[in-house]
Structures are given as structure tokens and as C-alpha cells.
Amino acid sequence: MFYREAGQFKASYQADQQIFPIRQDKIAVWALVLFFAAVVPVIADQYWLKAILIPVLIFSLAALGLNILTGYAGQLSLGSAAFMAVGAFGAYNFMLRIDGMPFLVAIVLGGLCAAAVGVLFGLPSLRIKGFYLAVATLAAQFFIVWALVKFPWFSNYSSSGVISTQEINILGFAFDGPTSKYMLTLAVVVILALAAKNMVRSSTGRAWMAVRDMDVAAEVIGIRPMRTKLIAFAVSSFYCGVAGALYAYTYLGTVEPEGFNLDLSFKILFMIIIGGTGSIMGSFLGAAFIVLLPILLDNFVPSLLGDLVSASFVSNFQLIVFGAMIIFFLIVEPHGLARLWQIGKEKLRLWPFPH
Amino acid sequence: MIVNELAVGAQGQSPAGGRPIGEVILDLQNISLSFGGVKALTDISFNVRKGEIRSIIGPNGAGKSSMLNVINGVYHPQQGSVIFHGEKRRDMDPHKAAAQGIARTFQNIALFKGMSVLDNIMTGRILKMKTNLLQHALFWGAAQREEIEHRKKVEEVIDFLEIQSIRKTPVGRLPYGLQKRVELGRALAAEPSMLLLDEPMAGMNVEEKQDMSRFILDVNDQFGTTIVLIEHDMGVVMDISDRVVVLDYGKKIGDGTPEEVMANPDVIAAYLGTSH
Ligand SMILES: Nc1ncnc2c1ncn2[C@@H]1O[C@H](COP(=O)(O)OP(=O)(O)O)[C@@H](O)[C@H]1O
Ligand SMILES: [Mg+2]
């Protein structure tokens, strides 16, 4: 009853094509953004900002990038972490080598480097699909990390490729504390999430989904599959690249190529499986879930079971829970938490009169 | 057969009505297509005139769908040539055929399963949309105007096909007959000059078939769209076609007006000889 479209008639196509056509959705999204921008920085302590909120935002962005490629355009990738690495090392080198390089420009350029590399490794997608494409992106994952270690120029000849990021300064304001870094991350992520939402509801997004759902029919209606897939690779890698740059600059401060390993790529893949493929919101839900779950388990399992279990049991227990969740979502609900949320909303529309 | 074509040309219009039937716009010459050892089409020639409803009939496996796939560039014949609007084409890709104004539906519904009816039909407009990725990301100004302008066109198609009530429904949830109609909508949204329909009425009940026949006739009549139709229901074919090509085992065994084709002894033999 409280959540419904009824009575909200659209008098124009413009009104019908708004980014959030249902008023309750619009209010909820902006309330959420406002909450995270105005309330959270006040109430959250340093630990929450540094160890939870910033990484959740950054992983959401990376998951969003992968979701564009896999969820919307239907091209499986296991190279997300490597594209993050390109963004991180790209931004670092632009900051390092060009005097007076503005930080925001550097992360955009880092993202563009990732986009270029993404297109390069997306070329096999024109020929191969599914499992074989996943293997090709796996090659990207290993090659990129290898190249970043092998050529010390990328890390400015530091030992073992570790880079320490420069200070962030935008228009004379130093982003040095957790609160300001959080705000900066939030701003970038919100802007890119809105842009993604816009892309997927326009003809770019329809072309991605058409290629995903039925590539022959897509081509017959005039969509060029090659171009469409490469654009998806470019946009996806751009998002991962910007996420990687933020990962280095606003989250860790010090990163090395090996930090962007296959484990991280899988983690991002699990985020979209659990959160929901083909959903912007799902990317956020999945990232929050995967960052928060281990923390919850760490805190609650020992206190529930006391001394009965060892620390190693707790960490194994995490893996078991992850595995079970992933199997659950793959088999029972391939559209993830976002779909469960949708079902909840549909129930809410009828509530409290289920018939 | 030459006589038949001359007869139609001389009349300048179809026997089915007063619609203007124009010059040959698609000419298929000696098309042969095989898959490995399987010969799907053997030395087939026929043409399609502007504004007509041209049907292709024949038993299952006769090569009808393959013929449509040759016309819109999904299959590339090993021999023969396809001449469209006087131009002989080579290495035609489906999206190039689309750009030349050829749209189609598929025998097995090929809708975009994860998208709504509206979005499916909107994809039909894609070749006419000119804004780029960055404009889409901002969804401002030109991109928004374009989206609204094309939405209007798509709503016309939705009204035409009488599917207003399902526009926001994911296509996967629709019954078969409606899915076929949405697929026609997607093709129509492209405003094609030639429409290829592969068994648009298969699996439909009588009312649905009547609706679909009416839509096909209306499209042909109102927009002057040339239609190439594959259909098994002989009643429908005889009713709405201007000319009919008959295929059997990849070979052409008949070509002419519905009456001529039905009187053709080879066609009668092929149809009596196969369980159909
Ligand atoms: N992509 C393909 N690969 C292999 N064989 C094919 C393919 N498409 C069609 N064929 C073969 O070509 C022949 C004609 O098929 P088709 O054109 O679908 O016939 P129809 O539409 O008249 O039933 C059949 O023997 C079919 O098996
Ligand atoms: Mg067929």
C-alpha cells in the first residue's frame, strides 16, 4: 500500500523516462545519498570510514564496472582486478610525471588507460564466448600484473613494485583524513553510478542487453556486436580503473601489483553474483555484503560459540558461508540480492492486503 | 514462370487488391548454400517486387529459413548473387542489411528475454538514434530529446499492434502469441522497406492468426512495406500473398500467383508426398 505506482500517471514520455520513475524510489535514493553524504560523516567513527565505508564504495564501483560488462553486456570477465591495477598505476604515473596534475584528472586518465587496455583484451570476445572468453580475460589478469612487476618504470623503480600514493589536493583543499577521503570517494562513486544508470537506460544499454540476450537478433536489427562489446569492455574497464585509482589513493595509500590478483577479481565477481547481475543497485548490495560478512562473522561467531572454536575455524567458516551463498544465488536466485529486494517491494505493494 | 512474371508486370498490380506493385527491388540469382555436406539451397532464383507480399512455402527442411538468412546476410551463399535495389552485394553482414532497410522476425522467437516490451521495441530504433555514449551517460539535452522522439514512434507501433497494456512487461512473461507480436513490433519500429517474416503465425490459434494476418496486410497497405513471408497455413498464404515461391529439398519447384502455384503438378506432388 505504501509502495505503489498506482495513481502516479505519467503525462509525458519525459516523465515516464525519468531516472527513477516511481516517486518512492526517487525519494529513497536521494534520501540514501543525503544520509551517506551528510549524516554518516558525522556519526561514523574513523574505523568505520576507513575500514568499511570507503572500501564498500570502491568495491561497489568495481562491481558496477564488472556488472556493465557481465551483467548487462553478457561478457564474462575474470580480469577486473587487473583493470583496477591499470587505473591505480596509471593515475600514479600521471601524478608523478606531470607537474601540477590535478588529482581528478589523473584518476580519469587512469580510468582511460584501463579502458584502452580493456578494449585490447576485449578483442577476443568478438570471436569467443562464455568459458573461453573467461579464460582469455584470465590471461589479461596474469599478464597485466606480470607486466607491472616486470617493468619497474610503472612503479617508479621502487622495490617489488610497491607504490605509495601522493597526497590528494583538489583546489587547495587537502584530502588527508578519513572523512574527507570518504566524501571524495562517495562523490566519485555517486556520479559514476548515476552515469551508469543513464547509460543502461539509453540506447547504449539496450544494445548491451540485446547482444547479451540474443546476439543474432541484435545484429539483424542493426546493432554492431563488435562495437557494442568493445564499448562495454571500455566502459567497464574505465569504471574498474577509477575504482583501482581510488583503491590506491583513498583506501590503502600503498599498493603493489600483486595486491590486484586473481583473488580480488573473483571477489568482485562474487559481489555481482550475490548482489545481482544486470543491476546497478545489486553492485552496491553485493559489495556491502562481501565487505561486511567477514566482519560480522569475525565478531559474532566467537561470541556465540565462545572458546569452543579456534580462530582458524572462524576463517574457514567464512569461506564455507561464502561458498554456500554463491551456490545459493547461482542456483536459486541468479539475480541476487537486488532481485530479492524487488520481490520484497512487490510484496510491499500489496501489503497489507495480499489479495 | 517467365510468363507469370510478365503477367504481373503488365497488370502493374496484385490480384489481391488495388495496391501498387512496383519494380523488382530484390533479385536472387542462382543461390546455392550448403552446410558441410548438407545442401540447404540449390540454384534458386526468384525476385521480389516493391510493395508486394511474397510468400515462400514448402515442407519442413525445404530451405525457407535459410533463404531469409541469405537475404538479410546471416548466411553467405557459396554461389549466386543477391541484388538489392540494383546493387550486387558482397559479404553482407546482417547489420548492413538492417541499415539498407531490411528487418525480420525469426521462426523461433528471438526477443531480448531480459528486457521489457518497450525496450525490445526501442531497440528497433537503434539505427535511427544518433547520440553517443557520453551524451547517454549525462542523459541531458540531445540524448533525452532523442529518447523521447523515438519513444513516440515506438508508441505508435505499440498502438498499431494493440499491445498498450503490456508495454512494461518483461517479454519472457508473455504468452507465445504476444511474443510473436512484440517481435513484429521490434521489426516495425525500424520502419523497414522490406520485412522478412519467418512463420509469424506458427503455433497460434485461429483468432491470433487472424490478428496477425490483419497486421501484415495493414503494414503492407499503410506503409507500402514489401513483405517476404514464410507460412505453413495454406489458407493464409493463399489469402494474402501476391506471389508464392515453393521450395522442396532446397530446390525451387514452383513460382507464381497463389492460383498458379496450387495448380502446379510438382507442387501438388510435393505436398501430397510429405506428411506436412
Ligand atoms: N546453421 C545451419 N547449420 C547446418 N545446417 C543448417 C543450418 N541452417 C539450416 N540448415 C539445414 O538446411 C536445411 C534447410 O533448413 P531450413 O532453411 O531451416 O528449412 P525450413 O525453414 O524450410 O524448414 C535443413 O536440412 C537444415 O538442417
Ligand atoms: Mg524454417
Side-chain angles (χ1 to χ4, degrees):
Chain A
M1 272 304 272
F2 301 109
Y3 178 85
R4 56 193 299 181
E5 303 106 324
Q8 299 186 22
F9 297 108
K10 302 296 186 290
S12 68
Y13 298 134
Q14 178 164 7
D16 197 33
Q17 286 169 346
Q18 283 171 48
I19 189 160
F20 303 110
I22 298 176
R23 196 184 310 129
Q24 284 90 333
D25 282 348
K26 189 196 277 183
I27 295 170
V29 167
W30 287 114
L32 214 60
V33 170
L34 207 67
F35 174 75
F36 279 100
V39 181
V40 166
V42 180
I43 59 169
D45 63 16
Q46 305 262 312
Y47 168 77
W48 264 85
L49 290 172
K50 268 204 303 217
I52 296 173
L53 290 163
I54 292 178
V56 165
L57 285 170
I58 292 171
F59 283 129
S60 299
L61 189 61
L64 185 51
L66 180 61
N67 222 334
I68 285 171
L69 185 63
T70 305
Y72 285 96
Q75 312 297 306
L76 189 55
S77 164
L78 293 176
S80 319
F83 299 129
M84 286 176 74
V86 175
F89 281 80
Y92 172 77
N93 279 288
F94 283 111
M95 291 290 280
L96 178 74
R97 291 170 206 285
I98 300 174
D99 261 352
M101 173 57 100
F103 174 72
L104 290 176
V105 177
I107 60 170
V108 169
L109 289 173
L112 290 175
C113 291
V117 176
V119 168
L120 196 68
F121 283 99
L123 287 172
S125 72
L126 312 179
R127 285 278 153 149
I128 54 179
K129 291 182 188 173
F131 175 72
Y132 296 97
L133 178 62
V135 172
T137 59
L138 201 59
Q141 170 67 50
F142 288 118
F143 175 79
I144 290 168
V145 171
W146 171 83
L148 288 174
V149 175
K150 173 79 186 166
F151 302 103
W153 182 87
F154 289 121
S155 48
N156 201 24
Y157 305 96
S158 79
S159 61
S160 71
V162 180
I163 56 169
S164 291
T165 56
Q166 303 88 345
E167 275 161 19
I168 306 170
N169 193 307
I170 299 173
L171 300 174
F173 184 85
F175 288 75
D176 45 9
T179 310
S180 59
K181 283 184 176 167
Y182 163 77
M183 293 298 284
L184 177 63
T185 311
L186 181 69
V188 172
V189 172
V190 167
I191 289 169
L192 286 180
L194 287 176
K197 181 89 188 160
N198 282 338
M199 281 186 268
V200 300
R201 70 195 174 115
S202 60
S203 62
T204 296
R206 287 191 293 267
W208 287 339
M209 292 184 273
V211 166
R212 170 196 71 188
D213 286 348
M214 189 65 77
D215 52 358
V216 176
E219 195 175 0
V220 160
I221 203 71
I223 293 168
R224 285 192 268 167
M226 188 155 100
R227 214 181 104 117
T228 305
K229 287 180 190 173
L230 290 183
I231 289 175
F233 266 98
V235 174
S236 163
S237 310
F238 177 83
Y239 274 65
C240 287
V242 172
L246 292 174
Y247 189 75
Y249 278 84
T250 66
Y251 178 39
L252 292 178
T254 307
V255 291
E256 57 180 329
E258 251 98 24
F260 298 94
N261 56 15
L262 185 60
D263 275 3
L264 185 60
S265 285
F266 268 115
K267 210 165 161 181
I268 296 164
L269 182 62
F270 294 158
M271 286 173 191
I272 71 167
I273 291 173
I274 290 178
T277 50
S279 159
I280 306 272
M281 187 178 65
S283 315
F284 286 86
L285 293 177
F289 190 88
I290 290 210
V291 173
L292 289 174
L293 185 70
I295 298 172
L296 286 178
L297 291 179
D298 274 353
N299 287 325
F300 290 112
V301 173
S303 65
L304 279 180
L305 302 177
D307 298 330
L308 289 174
V309 295
S310 62
S312 72
F313 174 82
V314 174
S315 63
N316 281 326
F317 186 67
Q318 266 185 34
L319 292 178
I320 294 169
V321 172
F322 266 132
M325 298 278 315
I326 285 157
I327 291 168
F328 169 81
F329 279 110
L330 280 178
I331 295 173
V332 182
E333 189 45 81
H335 295 289
L337 292 170
R339 176 76 193 131
L340 294 180
W341 168 250
Q342 197 73 34
I343 292 171
K345 280 206 302 192
E346 278 171 19
K347 292 252 157 67
L348 198 58
R349 190 178 322 185
L350 300 175
W351 188 85
F353 308 113
H355 296 294
Chain B
M1 246 161 302
I2 292 166
V3 179
N4 295 341
E5 280 168 16
L6 284 178
V8 172
Q11 273 175 324
Q13 53 177 276
S14 79
R19 297 161 303 122
I21 304 292
E23 73 285 0
V24 170
I25 54 169
L26 175 68
D27 199 9
L28 298 147
Q29 297 176 345
N30 312 99
I31 302 284
S32 292
L33 173 75
S34 54
F35 299 98
V38 182
K39 286 195 135 192
L41 298 169
T42 311
D43 196 29
I44 295 200
S45 304
F46 69 96
N47 62 34
V48 179
R49 290 174 180 277
K50 190 174 165 55
E52 75 174 334
I53 298 181
R54 183 72 148 129
S55 291
I56 304 177
I57 62 171
N60 280 329
K64 305 180 296 294
S65 297
S66 300
M67 201 65 237
L68 289 200
N69 280 324
V70 167
I71 294 175
N72 79 333
V74 178
Y75 292 165
H76 298 155
Q78 281 85 11
Q79 271 153 46
S81 39
V82 180
I83 298 167
F84 188 59
H85 283 300
E87 209 176 304
K88 187 166 164 176
R89 54 154 88 138
R90 325 194 154 276
D91 298 331
M92 174 61 88
D93 288 331
H95 64 84
K96 288 187 199 145
Q100 294 185 348
I102 302 178
R104 77 173 279 188
T105 65
F106 292 82
Q107 182 172 351
N108 305 311
I109 296 172
L111 285 171
F112 307 128
K113 289 271 179 319
M115 296 159 73
S116 67
V117 169
L118 186 61
D119 280 341
N120 264 279
I121 301 179
M122 280 294 273
T123 56
R125 302 293 302 167
I126 212 141
L127 277 172
K128 300 202 168 0
M129 300 184 87
K130 298 287 174 262
T131 49
N132 62 35
L133 179 70
L134 279 181
Q135 289 169 304
H136 294 162
L138 298 172
F139 207 79
W140 199 260
Q144 195 179 18
R145 274 198 305 279
E146 188 177 53
E147 193 82 0
I148 290 167
E149 177 195 319
H150 289 276
R151 172 74 187 273
K152 282 187 192 137
K153 259 274 171 282
V154 164
E155 289 293 336
E156 285 172 28
V157 172
I158 287 175
D159 288 344
F160 178 82
L161 294 175
E162 297 155 18
I163 48 176
Q164 295 90 341
S165 60
I166 54 165
R167 50 161 93 66
K168 297 275 169 86
T169 312
V171 289
R173 289 195 205 162
L174 296 175
Y176 183 80
L178 277 180
Q179 291 197 17
K180 285 256 174 195
R181 210 185 277 195
V182 174
E183 206 191 356
L184 176 63
R186 183 179 67 192
L188 288 179
E191 298 180 76
S193 63
M194 179 177 277
L195 185 57
L196 316 177
L197 302 173
D198 198 343
E199 303 197 16
M201 295 169 227
M204 286 187 169
N205 63 32
V206 178
E207 287 84 40
E208 288 174 324
K209 279 187 186 178
Q210 278 171 353
D211 281 341
M212 188 54 88
S213 308
R214 182 163 53 84
F215 293 136
I216 294 171
L217 285 170
D218 282 352
V219 169
N220 175 252
D221 198 40
Q222 291 180 22
F223 314 127
T225 311
T226 307
I227 290 170
V228 181
L229 171 71
I230 297 177
E231 185 46 54
H232 276 307
D233 187 315
M234 278 304 150
V236 172
V237 169
M238 295 302 135
D239 255 11
I240 71 175
S241 317
D242 295 299
R243 290 189 298 157
V244 181
V245 174
V246 191
L247 302 185
D248 192 21
Y249 293 111
K251 297 198 175 77
K252 184 169 103 170
I253 59 170
D255 189 353
T257 63
E259 296 77 24
E260 287 161 351
V261 162
M262 280 327 267
N264 181 329
D266 291 341
V267 176
I268 295 169
Y271 269 80
L272 292 179
T274 44
S275 59
H276 174 61

